[in-house]
Amino acid sequence: MPHPRRSQVANEILNLRRSLRALDKSLRRLGPMLSSGEGDGRVQKRAPVRRTLHLSPQRRAALKLHGRYIGYIRQLKPRQKAQVRKTREAKGVRVAIARARRLAQV
């Protein structure tokens, strides 16, 4: 009695399984090579070392204030921004932030 013919779908599934098995074997062989430093002989570049910022409490507070100032200024129209800038020059950042907050809420 002859073997029943496999459908095309069954054949494709078998081919896919073979391909996945071959891929799995390749990846298993490649893993140890990469971890041991073998490879194609090229030197791997390391990520650049990023410096850590050492902020004093005064500098951190100043940056926080500046962030608040910028946050309010961005919401304002150009004429209002000019008013707040003048206030900042004349009376300081804290007063300018209060003024910008009031203008932004209106």
Side-chain angles (χ1 to χ4, degrees):
M1 185 169 194
H3 293 298
R5 300 199 80 184
R6 288 189 199 136
S7 69
Q8 288 182 336
V9 173
N11 281 336
E12 289 301 320
I13 290 173
L14 283 176
N15 287 336
L16 182 61
R17 283 185 177 169
R18 283 187 201 117
S19 299
L20 288 174
R21 208 173 301 128
L23 180 64
D24 184 48
K25 285 181 185 178
S26 294
L27 288 174
R28 288 178 193 266
R29 285 191 307 258
L30 186 61
M33 284 184 214
L34 293 176
S35 64
S36 69
E38 292 181 35
D40 57 355
R42 288 190 278 172
V43 178
Q44 293 180 357
K45 293 182 181 178
R46 288 199 285 175
V49 178
R50 298 187 75 174
R51 67 186 180 104
T52 56
L53 289 178
H54 300 287
L55 294 175
S56 68
Q58 292 84 14
R59 179 67 178 139
R60 187 175 301 278
L63 285 173
K64 217 171 182 181
L65 269 180
H66 182 68
R68 279 195 198 137
Y69 174 78
I70 293 297
Y72 285 118
I73 279 286
R74 291 181 70 190
Q75 301 175 36
L76 301 178
K77 295 177 181 167
R79 184 172 288 157
Q80 294 171 325
K81 287 180 187 181
Q83 292 172 356
V84 173
R85 284 190 196 113
K86 283 183 184 178
T87 304
R88 181 179 181 182
E89 288 176 16
K91 298 181 181 178
V93 178
R94 292 180 195 275
V95 178
I97 290 173
R99 172 115 190 226
R101 184 184 305 152
R102 279 194 307 272
L103 289 174
Q105 290 175 352
V106 172

